[in-house]
Amino acid sequence: MKPALALVHSWLVLDFFGDARRAGKGHTSTLTTTIFAQSFGALALAAVLYPETPPVPFAAANLSLSTLLLVLGHLGDDDLPARRAADEVLLRTAPLSRLAATSARALHAAFALGLVTIGMALPPAILLAFLVGDPLQAPLYVVAALACSGLGVLALGLVARAAHAGLGHGRAALALGTLKAMLYAGGFVAFARLLPRLQGPADALPAPPALLAAWPPYHAAHWLHAPLAEAWRLGALAAVGTALLLATAALPEAAAARAARRRAGGLLHALLRRLSRPGPGRAVAEFTAVGMWRNAGFRARVLPLLGMPAALLLLAANATPAGQAPPLAVPALLLQLPAIYLPFLVAFLPRAEQPGAGWLFAHAPRLPRAVVQDAVWRALVSHVLAPVTALAAAALVLREPAAAAATLAAATFALALGVLAARAAVRTLPGVPFTSAREADAGPDLGGLFALALGLGGLGFVFGGWLPPALRWPVALAAVAVAALALRRQPDSGAVGVGAGDGDESGDDEHAGAGGDAHEGGDSGGSATSGAAALASGGRDTAADAAVDAATETPLPTPAEGLRRELRAIAALYAVTSLLPLALGALFAP
């Protein structure tokens, strides 16, 4: 049993500190931060529903939130190529039996999932105990939350195993990323439509009865209301979990190796080639476009946000009866959401999935930063803005064909504004995407994001709500003309600076920019002098930063010490997250 426990210990250290230490911040626990954030979210929903909501809908809504968030958080986390390859080498070379390895996997999954589940379950469990007037409801709710999250992860594991077995790792990663975006959008729509109707019976909910019968939180909530009379529901959930576990074990782990074949590209790739001219800029644009879909970390963290505009548009379309066109102001406003989300995409672009990914660009002739930012801008237009806006417009047109002309005008206007907003968003990009082995030290400017959201949202609302119908297409076409003029302007991709260095160093972009600008001026001597001065200055800055870090950095704790410290911190976090629901339950108890 000791080898299995040692393996679980190693996996837990990676869960807590893997991302932080890869970013050079070894004292930071990413899992503890996740537990705190999700516990706060669970407390917010439980406080909103307490005490007016009856016990069964209260428990069902909170269990649904925790199950959905845990499944979404688990989706894609175990699919990182470096982590998967390391685990495969470790398990094949270690003196472990298949039983020990299987036990280690099960114990690790249960322990890591249980930590997050308990953190999310404590606030609603305490409020449910006050709502029912029975302290026993609190531990029973935690058991129900663990059962629902376990079933969700088992179902996800079966889907992931089937995808890997039938599609291979690359296509399976794309399919699971798409599934994650759909779950985000579907969950948002479901909560927005179901929460206002929780006061009524289950028959009044706008959901198919078959879907409710297959939803584990629905049965868990009824079991909590009458644990003895409804014990059969818990037995049914256990049987479903056993069936999922056996089905997952019966599937092969991965598809057989397939022969790689070159594809000619698709519609989006053709659009990108039309937007960029041959040269280094097009190469960077195509590299960025491919990386956005193949980089598992970027896809898992950012691409699900693109499902939110679709969810909001679906809500707006369903807000009016069928056959009656909704006011154009709301769709025109919501069509601006893809452009509003662009700064988040740009913030996640620099990070590489594997360390050393920037080696190719670090040992190639330097590109001016303007060329790189222009290439990334065109990749965002062709592979993010254009398809998302087109899909949203198609959904609205299919929902209300009578308003197709007005909807297409609003979508055209939104796409043109998005092109211009994307040009401003990429100005914060420090270098070539997917080449930095370190996390960005600073996130997006929240003040700038707020101003961007207000500006784009206000323009969309004015276009759809106040602009006369006769002026909508002229204004939309004028915006398209401005965006087309911006796309026609391309930087001089032939102006390439000299020098090679580590693409992860902080001064590399400044060095490249200085060398490129001097070269464009046509004075080779000035270029050499400026480049040498910039390199010397950057070297002094790097040496000074290293000296400060060496003087102020404290020794990293050992894995065992760090894990024990974080488990104690999580126990204290559980206690803290229980105090506020205790106070709310005592003050507002029915």
Side-chain angles (χ1 to χ4, degrees), residues 557-568:
T558 63
E561 294 172 350
L563 189 56
R564 285 195 296 267
R565 182 194 65 189
E566 294 304 323
L567 292 177
R568 289 194 298 267

Side-chain angles (χ1 to χ4, degrees), residues 344-400:
F344 291 98
L345 275 75
V346 175
F348 282 108
L349 277 175
R351 182 180 175 182
E353 194 166 89
Q354 293 93 6
W359 177 88
L360 176 64
F361 293 93
H363 291 78
R366 291 292 185 174
L367 290 174
R369 185 185 297 184
V371 173
V372 174
Q373 292 176 348
D374 181 82
V376 175
W377 170 47
R378 297 173 192 278
L380 290 173
V381 170
S382 64
H383 281 67
V384 176
L385 283 176
V388 172
T389 306
L391 290 175
L396 286 176
V397 169
L398 291 175
R399 175 64 171 77
E400 291 296 340

Side-chain angles (χ1 to χ4, degrees), residues 241-258:
T242 303
L244 289 174
L245 186 61
L246 293 176
T248 304
L251 287 175
E253 291 192 0
R258 302 185 180 188

Side-chain angles (χ1 to χ4, degrees), residues 314-361:
L314 182 61
L315 285 177
N318 290 331
T320 55
Q324 178 181 350
L328 187 62
V330 176
L333 169 63
L334 298 178
L335 281 168
Q336 304 294 335
L337 287 176
I340 294 174
Y341 283 141
L342 280 179
F344 291 98
L345 275 75
V346 175
F348 282 108
L349 277 175
R351 182 180 175 182
E353 194 166 89
Q354 293 93 6
W359 177 88
L360 176 64
F361 293 93

Side-chain angles (χ1 to χ4, degrees), residues 211-250:
L211 181 60
L212 289 177
W215 186 237
Y218 175 80
H219 297 283
H222 282 82
W223 171 73
L224 285 171
H225 185 63
L228 296 179
E230 303 287 343
W232 65 271
R233 297 181 185 269
L234 200 62
L237 294 180
V240 171
T242 303
L244 289 174
L245 186 61
L246 293 176
T248 304

Side-chain angles (χ1 to χ4, degrees), residues 369 430 505-515 534:
R369 185 185 297 184
E505 293 296 332
S506 59
D508 282 346
D509 297 318
E510 287 79 2
H511 303 163

